[in-house]
Amino acid sequence: MASDKKKTFLEGFEAGERTAWNEVIKMASRGYSSTELGVMAKTKLATIHRDVESMASRLETEPGVQDAGDEDEIGERGAYLVNEEKAEGVYRHFRSLLKAGARGLSISRTHPADVTRKFKLPAVDSIWLSRTTDKGKSSEIDVADPTNLVGLAGAVIEFLEAGGDAAVVVEGLEYLVSLNGFSSVLRFVQTLNEKVVVNDSYLLISANADAMKEQEYNVLAKEMAGEL
């Protein structure tokens, strides 16, 4: 999860800062002059790569230590939640699945043409979540009323059942919650989750945990096969 990675990074950063300053305090308490402290600091900086190499070797041999990249791998078919402030990482995962041969369906609050251009996506089916009747940039774009979750779920299910091996990305979950309420959106996600599993496909949902109630986000996360 993105939040866990941030927490781990900050903990490591804090530990490094504490170690460095404790070392400075220790040397200063021994009566070294400023010149001597400067020389020792330069020597330490010149050899710090050895400490990094030593730690890397330890991590490779310690049980239970995973590479950060492994945590982001999509494993079995099913629904996955991407915790992020802006829908960006979810599209990188989506693009990877498309490169692997999956059929793609993008459901976004952002206009599909902008999404395709920004994330360099190949040709995929798209549904634009908009309450406007003016399709503007393209008359070929499928527009869905974000308050009609039943109709939206029906369109997704139709796509899934058209051949399986599909990847569906949903951007704008907080937007759907604001318009329909969490309970309705949860039922919507549960319905899609079941159909995704049955049709041997993937569902990728971008959501910002900080923009949702903690309890609601946790309930949503429990419905997923995993978090990325």
Side-chain angles (χ1 to χ4, degrees):
M1 296 183 293
S3 57
D4 289 341
K5 287 184 180 180
K6 181 178 179 181
K7 180 180 178 182
T8 300
F9 172 82
L10 291 175
E11 288 175 348
F13 181 79
E14 180 183 2
E17 288 280 286
R18 288 182 181 277
T19 299
W21 283 106
N22 283 333
E23 189 69 19
V24 171
I25 293 171
K26 194 182 299 181
M27 289 191 293
S29 66
R30 293 174 181 168
Y32 290 112
S33 67
S34 59
T35 301
E36 290 172 323
L37 286 173
V39 171
M40 286 188 288
K42 289 179 181 178
T43 302
K44 186 66 175 176
L45 285 173
T47 59
I48 199 168
H49 66 280
R50 297 176 185 171
D51 295 334
V52 174
E53 291 172 355
S54 176
M55 178 58 72
S57 297
R58 284 177 54 192
L59 291 177
E60 288 178 0
T61 57
E62 282 187 27
V65 176
Q66 276 187 313
D67 287 338
D70 293 341
E71 295 176 355
D72 281 344
E73 289 298 321
I74 298 178
E76 61 186 21
R77 304 296 178 111
Y80 291 85
L81 191 63
V82 182
N83 179 11
E84 54 187 353
E85 185 176 350
K86 294 182 179 180
E88 295 180 345
V90 73
Y91 284 112
R92 288 194 291 271
H93 289 295
F94 182 56
R95 190 172 56 203
S96 295
L97 292 174
L98 296 179
K99 287 182 178 179
R103 297 180 301 113
L105 172 63
S106 171
I107 302 172
S108 63
R109 188 181 180 190
T110 306
H111 194 282
D114 296 330
V115 172
T116 298
R117 182 176 61 254
K118 181 177 182 180
F119 298 103
K120 297 179 174 59
L121 299 178
V124 297
D125 287 15
S126 301
I127 297 176
W128 183 25
L129 298 176
S130 176
R131 306 185 77 173
T132 180
T133 56
D134 180 12
K135 298 183 181 181
K137 298 183 181 180
S138 174
S139 60
E140 298 179 357
I141 297 296
D142 288 331
V143 179
D145 183 342
T147 62
N148 184 6
L149 294 181
V150 174
L152 182 58
V156 176
I157 292 171
E158 182 179 352
F159 178 80
L160 292 171
E161 294 180 341
D165 191 25
V168 179
V169 62
V170 178
E171 171 227 322
L173 192 76
E174 300 90 342
Y175 177 55
L176 293 178
V177 171
S178 69
L179 293 176
N180 301 280
F182 178 73
S183 296
S184 295
V185 173
L186 179 62
R187 287 194 296 271
F188 167 73
V189 171
Q190 289 171 332
T191 299
L192 296 189
N193 193 5
E194 292 174 2
K195 293 298 181 179
V196 160
V197 174
V198 170
N199 288 280
D200 196 27
S201 297
Y202 299 94
L203 173 64
L204 305 176
I205 300 176
S206 175
N208 182 4
D210 293 335
M212 299 177 64
K213 294 179 181 179
E214 183 178 0
Q215 182 180 2
E216 292 180 350
Y217 182 85
N218 291 338
V219 169
L220 183 67
K222 288 180 181 178
E223 295 292 329
M224 303 292 114
E227 292 183 74
L228 304 171

